[in-house]
Amino acid sequence: MGIKTSLLVLMLFLVPQAKLKTVNGEVVQIQDGDTLTVKTERDRLYKVRLADIDAPEMGQPFGKPARRLAVDLALEKTVRVNYTFKDKYGRLIGEVFLPDGKLLNEEMLKAGLAWHYRVKHPHSSFLEKLEYKAWKKNLGLWVQETPVPPWEFRRENRLPLPPTKPEHMDYDLFLSYGLLGDPKTRIYEWPECKGYPKDTKGYINFGNLLDAESLGYRVSQRCEIK
């Protein structure tokens, strides 16, 4: 591991991490393969977006099978949700633990009914392996010759501007923001910036400006902050 890489890893540990929070309750609704609603004992409803995975949208191939699996595994079950933040819609972005201790997030990947949503840095090698195994076995959506990732399916003609804080972020648009950080220069930029890189290999994806700033990145002089 080089000196620069070591420093980056060290900074990732030094940055104050959001406190892990927990919600327990019954799953009363499954919207799609990665979104559900939990009702607590006090009748409070929480919408939950499964972290680190992205299931096909309902208008995509395998969108309905993904939802069916989530229904079979979680509907009317008592679950534990671990999360660290909410997105702009108030959804808890987290992990859902089923009564048998398994993670719903991982079960969707194992069945080939979700992609590993690579928005964390570093990426989870464990989740990458689960996705790879499902792909290798042609499970679920991987029977398709050229499956379209949900984040590409959702992409609009005009890319959205990156939000300033995690709570202003739409988790489903994390990759669409195109907010990239260069580990070598410690500079970040987004698609509307002049000279935005065409080759993004080696860059880090951020979902909002605060996350980039907290890791010591600074905005490129070629960007206009509106």
Side-chain angles (χ1 to χ4, degrees):
M1 183 181 292
I3 295 177
K4 290 184 178 179
T5 304
S6 299
L7 287 174
L8 176 59
V9 172
L10 178 60
M11 288 188 70
L12 287 171
F13 281 103
L14 291 177
V15 172
Q17 299 297 309
K19 184 178 179 181
L20 183 68
K21 301 177 183 178
T22 299
V23 167
N24 296 295
E26 179 187 354
V27 177
V28 294
Q29 186 178 5
I30 304 285
Q31 284 81 2
D32 54 33
D34 56 32
T35 310
L36 51 87
T37 301
V38 172
K39 183 178 181 180
T40 68
E41 290 183 349
R42 296 185 177 182
D43 293 334
R44 184 168 181 179
L45 296 175
Y46 290 94
K47 184 169 283 189
V48 180
R49 170 63 164 84
L50 300 182
D52 304 320
I53 72 166
D54 204 357
E57 298 291 340
M58 293 302 291
Q60 287 187 271
F62 290 90
K64 291 181 179 179
R67 181 181 181 276
R68 277 200 300 270
L69 177 61
V71 167
D72 291 342
L73 292 175
L75 188 61
E76 298 182 349
K77 304 286 179 60
T78 299
V79 300
R80 184 178 86 249
V81 182
N82 287 351
Y83 72 100
T84 54
F85 73 96
K86 301 178 182 179
D87 73 357
K88 65 182 291 186
Y89 301 114
R91 299 180 300 180
L92 312 184
I93 310 301
E95 297 177 323
V96 174
F97 289 85
L98 300 169
D100 60 4
K102 293 180 180 179
L103 264 176
L104 179 59
N105 312 50
E106 295 175 359
E107 296 305 306
M108 299 302 295
L109 279 177
K110 290 178 183 178
L113 291 173
W115 274 261
H116 174 207
Y117 199 32
R118 293 169 172 82
V119 297
K120 280 185 179 178
H121 184 81
H123 300 319
S124 168
S125 59
F126 179 71
L127 295 182
E128 286 182 342
K129 288 178 182 177
L130 292 183
E131 182 187 68
Y132 175 77
K133 288 180 180 179
W135 170 80
K136 193 73 174 177
K137 296 178 181 178
N138 289 324
L139 297 178
L141 63 90
W142 300 115
V143 300
Q144 302 173 92
E145 186 173 342
T146 54
V148 177
W151 56 89
E152 293 291 344
F153 180 79
R154 293 188 296 262
R155 192 183 295 276
E156 302 174 356
N157 292 329
R158 185 178 183 278
L159 296 179
L161 288 175
T164 55
K165 302 177 181 179
E167 57 266 31
H168 297 161
M169 177 177 66
D170 180 346
Y171 191 72
D172 290 330
L173 297 181
F174 195 113
L175 296 178
S176 297
Y177 293 130
L179 185 58
L180 298 177
D182 185 343
K184 296 179 180 178
T185 62
R186 315 296 295 175
I187 288 176
Y188 67 86
E189 52 194 324
W190 55 91
E192 286 198 352
C193 302
K194 296 178 181 178
Y196 184 77
K198 294 181 179 180
D199 183 5
T200 60
K201 185 178 180 180
Y203 284 78
I204 296 174
N205 279 101
F206 293 109
N208 59 87
L209 305 185
L210 181 60
D211 283 352
E213 297 280 350
S214 66
L215 282 177
Y217 284 74
R218 65 186 188 281
V219 64
S220 170
Q221 295 180 350
R222 300 177 299 190
C223 301
E224 293 183 15
I225 300 180
K226 301 177 181 180

